[in-house]
Amino acid sequence: MNALLDDLCWRGLIAHSTDLEALGAHLDEGPVKFYVGFDPTAPSLHMGNLVQLLFARRLQQAGHKPHLLVGGATGQIGDPKETGERVMNSREVVAGWVERIRAQAERFVSFEGDNAAVMVNNLDWTAGMSVLDFLRDVGKHFPVNRMLARDVVARRLESGISYTEFSYVLLQSMDYRELYRRHGVTLQHGGSDQWGNITAGVELLRRSDQVRAHALATPLLTKADGTKFGKTESGTVWLDRELTSPYAFHQFFLNAEDAKVVDYLKVFSFRSREEIEALEKATENEPHKRLAQKALADDVTDIVHGSGERQAVVAAAAALFGRGELSCLSEETLRGIMRELKAPEVTLPMPLVDAFLVSGIVESKAAAKRAILEGGAYLNNEKVTDPEFSLTETDLLGGCCAIVRRGRRTVGGVQVGTGR
């Protein structure tokens, strides 16, 4: 098998393919132009999109040329959901999200060299297309019975699906054809949930241009219990630092389950097979050291937020548990910690026992007083021995929050004036 495909298979990154043997031969012939698309249905990319961006980086590092498509047209409609009709965002909102997502996606591939990446927007070839031209040139190649057989459509038929969402597959298929005609693109990749749309594009090229195109789909990443990876109790893990702070981002990966951490390393890290296999053995033999989790969290945070930010959040985590200086942390990092700790907003002055209670690190004021009297209570890593102590503005870190801790491991926080 082609060396690149062999590595992708080992990493568990290929769930579906049109024809791996034929694709391997195509890749061996020389640099291949490929694409992956992102619809602006939110103001930021998320963990599922990161899988595709890093997949594109791997292909580019192997010598192939990426085309990143941001769906200024398809984002105005949205791929059909299994749960019901999407709310359509305004053209102005979608246009704003296009620019935000374009800026995010650009960070993950190189725009220099012989195989420099190309950024495209499918609004460029749909905005001026008439309905008649669309129906004659694209719609005629799509048998309705085949469209009705698509899983998501079949599931939505009973509850109802609009013609708009039903027709989404035609728009995405046209993207592949346009990128082939304009740029010579012959490979598309995406998530396994997009496989129906992806193969429809392959079929459109076969029918309309008599071209054999290729496609790959990555698997849906899940946790050990089968639930979707990239979701937390508080919501989606985003790549935008304003929506998911670098601290929370690093903590998310640091908390990966032993049973799945090696799978995630293969997908999100660019470590070699030997390094990952060594971390796999370490997880089996010394799981308490969490070496694989630390490597995963550091690697992904470096990729998304930069090594400087990763060093800052690692230092913040150490300081949080008394192994570093809290006063050195920036207000942004502190706010990220507060969000991760679900710290409540409070009004000062406030008795410290109340701060312990509302932060959730004790069950009662009596338990807070007992912790103080027994020498196990800390405010901003400083031991507090007075059960009548009150928290005031002079005790705030960065003028915004305070860290409270019971013992070595039970940590909480309170904050003031977040405005959020």
Side-chain angles (χ1 to χ4, degrees):
M1 184 185 290
N2 172 271
L4 171 60
L5 294 180
D6 181 63
D7 182 65
L8 295 175
C9 286
W10 175 77
R11 291 178 181 275
L13 279 168
I14 300 180
H16 307 292
S17 64
T18 44
D19 186 329
L20 273 185
E21 186 176 346
L23 175 58
H26 186 49
L27 293 169
D28 287 336
E29 289 171 356
V32 167
K33 297 176 180 179
F34 67 94
Y35 99 95
V36 59
F38 305 96
D39 273 350
T41 52
S44 170
L45 298 172
H46 52 70
M47 295 308 308
N49 303 131
L50 182 60
V51 174
Q52 302 309 320
L53 288 165
L54 299 186
F55 193 99
R57 179 183 286 190
R58 293 183 198 281
L59 293 179
Q60 186 179 39
Q61 288 180 347
H64 306 290
K65 187 178 181 69
H67 294 68
L68 303 186
L69 182 148
V70 181
T74 44
Q76 294 185 35
I77 292 174
D79 197 18
K81 297 191 303 181
E82 293 188 11
T83 54
E85 201 77 8
R86 287 183 182 272
V87 174
M88 294 178 66
N89 297 298
S90 70
R91 289 182 172 84
E92 292 74 22
V93 166
V94 173
W97 288 353
V98 163
E99 293 309 310
R100 292 184 60 160
I101 289 172
R102 180 197 295 266
Q104 284 183 333
E106 286 177 343
R107 304 200 310 263
F108 296 92
V109 293
S110 172
F111 286 80
E112 299 177 353
D114 293 338
N115 63 335
V118 176
M119 185 70 70
V120 296
N121 183 342
N122 59 17
L123 191 61
D124 292 344
W125 53 79
T126 55
M129 192 176 202
S130 73
V131 174
L132 283 176
D133 286 341
F134 178 68
L135 292 175
R136 286 173 58 88
D137 192 38
V138 180
K140 68 178 180 180
H141 296 294
F142 285 82
V144 171
N145 59 328
R146 191 169 297 176
M147 294 175 68
L148 289 170
R150 296 179 66 221
D151 288 345
V152 66
V153 172
R155 283 191 285 269
R156 286 277 302 279
L157 283 179
E158 187 173 336
S159 59
I161 182 171
S162 69
Y163 179 75
T164 299
E165 289 195 5
F166 178 68
S167 302
Y168 176 92
V169 64
L170 277 69
L171 288 173
Q172 185 168 322
S173 299
M174 186 170 67
D175 290 344
Y176 200 169
R177 191 176 71 174
E178 287 298 317
L179 288 173
Y180 167 75
R181 290 177 174 179
R182 293 167 182 247
H183 300 282
V185 170
T186 53
L187 170 64
Q188 180 184 180
H189 67 87
S192 58
D193 59 337
Q194 288 293 307
W195 188 239
N197 291 328
I198 292 170
T199 53
V202 171
E203 181 66 8
L204 175 60
L205 272 168
R206 186 189 69 79
R207 287 170 174 261
S208 66
D209 291 44
Q210 294 75 52
V211 168
R212 182 177 187 180
H214 303 272
L216 292 172
T218 60
L220 177 68
L221 292 186
T222 61
K223 301 175 187 175
D225 63 2
T227 57
K228 192 172 184 180
F229 180 75
K231 295 280 188 178
T232 68
E233 290 182 5
S234 55
T236 302
V237 178
W238 302 99
L239 304 191
D240 188 320
R241 63 188 299 123
E242 296 299 319
L243 299 177
T244 298
S245 72
Y247 177 83
F249 187 87
H250 188 270
Q251 287 291 310
F252 173 77
F253 285 98
L254 199 59
N255 291 324
E257 306 155 295
D258 288 347
K260 300 292 286 187
V261 66
V262 173
D263 292 341
Y264 303 151
L265 270 169
K266 291 177 179 179
V267 171
F268 293 108
S269 172
F270 285 80
R271 291 175 186 254
S272 67
R273 185 179 300 202
E274 292 74 22
E275 289 177 290
I276 292 175
E277 288 174 346
L279 287 166
E280 185 173 21
K281 288 182 180 178
T283 300
E284 293 171 357
N285 299 332
E286 299 177 297
H288 61 283
K289 291 186 177 180
R290 300 185 70 75
L291 295 178
Q293 281 86 350
K294 291 174 183 176
L296 173 67
D298 287 356
D299 288 359
V300 187
T301 306
D302 279 354
I303 290 169
V304 175
H305 294 294
S307 60
E309 196 67 67
R310 185 258 302 164
Q311 292 169 12
V313 298
V314 169
L320 193 59
F321 291 94
R323 300 188 301 276
E325 184 54 58
L326 287 168
S327 61
C328 295
L329 304 182
S330 68
E331 181 177 348
E332 182 186 15
T333 298
L334 288 167
R335 290 295 191 195
I337 291 173
M338 291 298 104
R339 288 196 293 272
E340 187 70 4
L341 294 175
K342 297 181 175 60
E345 278 196 52
V346 299
T347 301
L348 301 182
M350 167 182 261
L352 187 61
V353 291
D354 289 352
F356 270 50
L357 180 62
V358 299
S359 69
I361 67 171
V362 294
E363 296 179 353
S364 65
K365 292 184 181 181
K369 286 188 176 181
R370 189 162 57 250
I372 294 171
L373 293 171
E374 292 174 353
Y378 297 84
L379 171 63
N380 300 331
N381 287 341
E382 297 292 332
K383 184 178 289 189
V384 178
T385 57
D386 180 5
E388 303 303 320
F389 183 90
S390 281
L391 179 66
T392 66
E393 290 187 3
T394 59
D395 299 304
L396 296 176
L397 297 167
C400 68
C401 60
I403 303 292
V404 290
R405 177 160 53 90
R406 177 171 60 85
R408 295 178 62 184
R409 297 182 178 276
T410 309
V411 177
V414 294
Q415 56 186 333
V416 296
T418 65
R420 298 179 184 179

